[in-house]
Amino acid sequence: MLRKIRLTCGIICLTLITLLFLDFTGTLHGWFGWLAKIQFLPAVLALNVGVVVLLIILTGVFGRIYCSVICPLGVFQDVAAWIGKKRKKLPYSYSPALSLLRYGALAIFIITLVAGVSFIATLFAPYSAYGRIANNLFQPIWLWGNNLFAHLAERAGSYAFYEVDIWIKSLPTFIVAAATFVILILLAWRNGRTYCNTICPVGTVLGFLSRYSLFRITIDTEKCNKCGLCARHCKATCINAKEHTIDYSRCVVCMDCLGKCKQKALSYQLRTTKARPAKAEENAHAASSKEVNEARRNFLTVTAMAATASALKAQEKKVDGGLAAIEDKKIPNRQTPITPPGSLSARNMAAHCTACQLCVSACSNQVLRPSTNLMNLMQPEISYERGYCRPECNDCSQVCPTGAIHPITTADKSSTQIGHAVWIKANCVSLTDGVKCDNCARHCPTGAIQMIVAEPEKETSPQIPAINTERCIGCGACENLCPARPFSAIYVEGHERHRII
């Protein structure tokens, strides 16, 4: 019964969190967005003391139940392990804890996080790793299905669905997500919860706490005949049947072992004061150098893929009225990247963001995309080739679970300056093509752009934009709607620190 309850809760959490990354309408975030905010690492970065304390108490009472129910990456690995286990009669065996690798990975995570080398720290974060997988691998499939329904509905005279663009927002992020997906699948198929008990910083922290949990799985030595069935079905490989010991720092309370014991020697109950043999305790925490090297190579492989991936982008071809091809816009060379409204500053974004991509998934204007800059790789930044940041939209600030983007109202957003517009004379079609154009001025929501005569002494002088940088909020409407190609004649330069106007 306990195992069925755990499975049901885990599947529900995994499904709902996955849907948060797939939902492009923003409907589900109002109902289930709290599931992202109760993840351990996002709660710590957001200084959400209530959630952190609750998760610590939950672990102190029940063990690492967080890893087998709430964490989407943990449940995802269980699904992969379950599929892989179908091909093996007795899939697992006990192995000593790799303490050196576990605490070494935790130390690297903390050091890189504090030092601001975010692209390394984000590779370790379990919730963010799953978010990148869902956003980059699962969402395109979901959107293709939506577009198929939209096409069929349109032919039937219904507009219940609408088509959306499908494009790779960042090739390096896509490569990291695909590599993470493949590595996790292979590790889970082969050894179950290898990632959780060797590299995951959250698993290491909660594992330390779970050593002292009140409820735990115990072995009745009088009933146990040392058959080893429990150890062979333990995906955490933490049960030493010969010594009658369990490494509680690695046990994720999946309950799989309970139903496999034919002697009924295993039970989940309140901790007793019975001491374990000292020798068995030492064996449970011994490290195998061969396995340390193997796990370290797996981690370095993922890091190398992220560090050396090329910064390319794939976009769909567009046509003007089906007659002439329109040249795709290119990203201008901004001196300062633009961070979303509510992020306060680039420094705050770098310190709190774990690159989970939830805000990128929620952005309906298609302006948020993962950065390709190595120092803040995969963290969101704004670019205006496909849309602009509409003043009435605050979706990204509502879904961020880490405090990297603070909740902001639409009124506050309209007075927050995330950047300012810059005019490039050499690109302006009013001067290069001799045509009348005032797109930037007509579409500026704050009235920060006015058209003035380029040469007042000439009657036929073209008009050019004049920018009031004090009123500009950096929304990018001017840059996006500028007809100049491939570079807009007006673009937004970001601010390191946002300003209130």
Side-chain angles (χ1 to χ4, degrees):
M1 177 60 72
L2 290 176
R3 181 174 179 271
K4 291 182 179 179
I5 294 174
R6 197 272 305 174
L7 282 173
T8 302
C9 294
I11 291 172
I12 290 174
C13 285
L14 177 64
T15 302
L16 293 178
I17 290 176
T18 303
L19 288 175
L20 289 179
F21 287 94
L22 303 183
D23 178 32
F24 56 90
T25 65
T27 305
L28 295 179
H29 289 281
W31 293 90
F32 306 114
W34 56 272
L35 282 171
K37 297 179 180 180
I38 63 170
Q39 302 299 317
F40 187 83
L41 185 57
V44 171
L45 293 175
L47 299 179
N48 195 334
V49 178
V51 172
V52 175
V53 171
L54 178 63
L55 293 178
I56 290 175
I57 293 175
L58 187 69
T59 304
V61 176
F62 299 107
R64 283 176 60 180
I65 200 75
Y66 168 88
C67 299
S68 57
V69 175
I70 301 175
C71 177
L73 192 67
V75 182
F76 171 73
Q77 289 177 84
D78 286 347
V79 174
W82 177 76
I83 296 173
K85 191 169 65 173
K86 291 295 184 180
R87 307 178 66 178
K88 302 178 183 178
K89 186 176 180 180
L90 298 172
Y92 310 117
S93 61
Y94 170 75
S95 63
L98 303 177
S99 301
L100 178 62
L101 181 60
R102 295 172 71 188
Y103 291 106
L106 177 62
I108 293 174
F109 173 80
I110 294 175
I111 292 172
T112 54
L113 195 65
V114 172
V117 189
S118 58
F119 78 95
I120 294 180
T122 55
L123 291 175
F124 289 86
Y127 163 74
S128 299
Y130 183 78
R132 290 190 292 272
I133 292 173
N135 178 254
N136 290 276
L137 305 183
F138 299 162
Q139 191 188 56
I141 300 174
W142 178 270
L143 296 181
W144 278 323
N146 170 82
N147 289 352
L148 176 61
F149 278 112
H151 176 71
L152 296 176
E154 184 179 359
R155 293 180 67 110
S158 172
Y159 294 93
F161 299 88
Y162 59 91
E163 290 191 4
V164 293
D165 291 336
I166 304 172
W167 55 295
I168 298 178
K169 300 177 178 67
S170 169
L171 187 57
T173 303
F174 179 85
I175 292 174
V176 171
T180 304
F181 177 78
V182 172
I183 291 173
L184 287 175
I185 288 289
L186 292 177
L187 289 176
W189 278 6
R190 182 181 176 185
N191 294 315
R193 288 293 192 107
T194 302
Y195 169 82
C196 298
N197 288 326
T198 55
I199 297 177
C200 178
V202 176
T204 301
V205 172
L206 296 183
F208 177 80
L209 297 175
S210 65
R211 294 174 187 268
Y212 312 102
S213 61
L214 295 179
F215 286 87
R216 56 176 56 179
I217 294 174
T218 57
I219 302 175
D220 188 334
T221 56
E222 295 181 358
K223 293 182 180 180
C224 179
N225 62 358
K226 299 185 179 180
C227 67
L229 275 177
C230 54
R232 292 189 178 100
H233 286 88
C234 176
K235 54 179 168 277
T237 64
C238 65
I239 301 178
N240 188 344
K242 294 182 179 179
E243 301 289 343
H244 290 145
T245 59
I246 299 175
D247 184 355
Y248 294 109
S249 71
R250 291 186 289 157
C251 177
V252 294
V253 202
C254 66
M255 312 290 185
D256 287 353
C257 58
L258 296 182
K260 301 300 179 181
C261 182
K262 298 180 180 179
Q263 308 300 321
K264 305 298 181 183
L266 290 172
S267 60
Y268 182 65
Q269 62 183 32
L270 192 65
R271 181 180 62 186
T272 60
T273 57
K274 184 178 179 180
R276 295 190 298 176
K279 182 178 179 180
E281 182 72 17
E282 293 176 1
N283 290 337
H285 298 90
S288 167
S289 62
K290 181 179 180 181
E291 292 175 337
V292 169
N293 292 334
E294 181 182 356
R296 185 182 291 115
R297 283 194 297 270
N298 290 334
F299 165 70
L300 292 176
T301 299
V302 179
T303 304
M305 286 181 178
T308 60
S310 58
L312 302 175
K313 181 183 71 171
Q315 291 185 334
E316 294 179 344
K317 185 178 181 180
K318 301 178 181 178
V319 296
D320 182 11
L323 298 176
I326 297 180
E327 187 177 4
D328 289 336
K329 281 199 173 187
K330 294 183 179 180
I331 301 175
N333 183 23
R334 306 183 206 276
Q335 298 299 314
T336 305
I338 310 171
T339 58
S343 61
L344 305 181
S345 65
R347 183 176 180 179
N348 179 75
M349 173 66 73
H352 292 85
C353 179
T354 61
C356 73
Q357 313 293 305
L358 187 58
C359 58
V360 177
S361 298
C363 181
S364 57
N365 301 314
Q366 300 189 20
V367 299
L368 277 182
R369 61 197 64 187
S371 172
T372 56
N373 186 297
L374 189 60
M375 293 308 296
N376 59 341
L377 187 69
M378 301 184 294
Q379 292 186 350
E381 65 181 23
I382 291 179
S383 199
Y384 300 118
E385 290 72 54
R386 288 177 168 265
Y388 64 93
C389 194
R390 298 181 182 272
E392 68 274 14
C393 174
N394 61 351
D395 290 345
C396 60
S397 74
Q398 301 301 312
V399 303
C400 179
T402 66
I405 308 176
H406 291 268
I408 187 173
T409 65
T410 54
D412 291 336
K413 180 180 178 180
S414 296
S415 60
T416 300
Q417 189 180 66
I418 61 176
H420 65 276
V422 177
W423 180 59
I424 306 297
K425 180 180 180 180
N427 295 342
C428 188
V429 296
S430 295
L431 301 177
T432 59
D433 297 349
V435 297
K436 182 180 179 180
C437 176
D438 60 350
N439 267 12
C440 52
R442 285 191 296 113
H443 293 93
C444 179
T446 62
I449 303 176
Q450 301 293 326
M451 301 302 294
I452 63 173
V453 177
E455 300 177 68
E457 64 277 6
K458 292 185 180 181
E459 295 183 1
T460 59
S461 174
Q463 289 188 322
I464 58 174
I467 304 167
N468 183 347
T469 56
E470 296 300 321
R471 298 187 63 177
C472 177
I473 60 175
C475 69
C478 54
E479 179 180 334
N480 174 251
L481 298 170
C482 177
R485 294 293 192 278
F487 292 103
S488 296
I490 191 166
Y491 78 98
V492 177
E493 187 63 54
H495 288 170
E496 284 281 353
R497 190 177 185 86
H498 295 177
R499 307 167 187 170
I500 303 299
I501 60 173

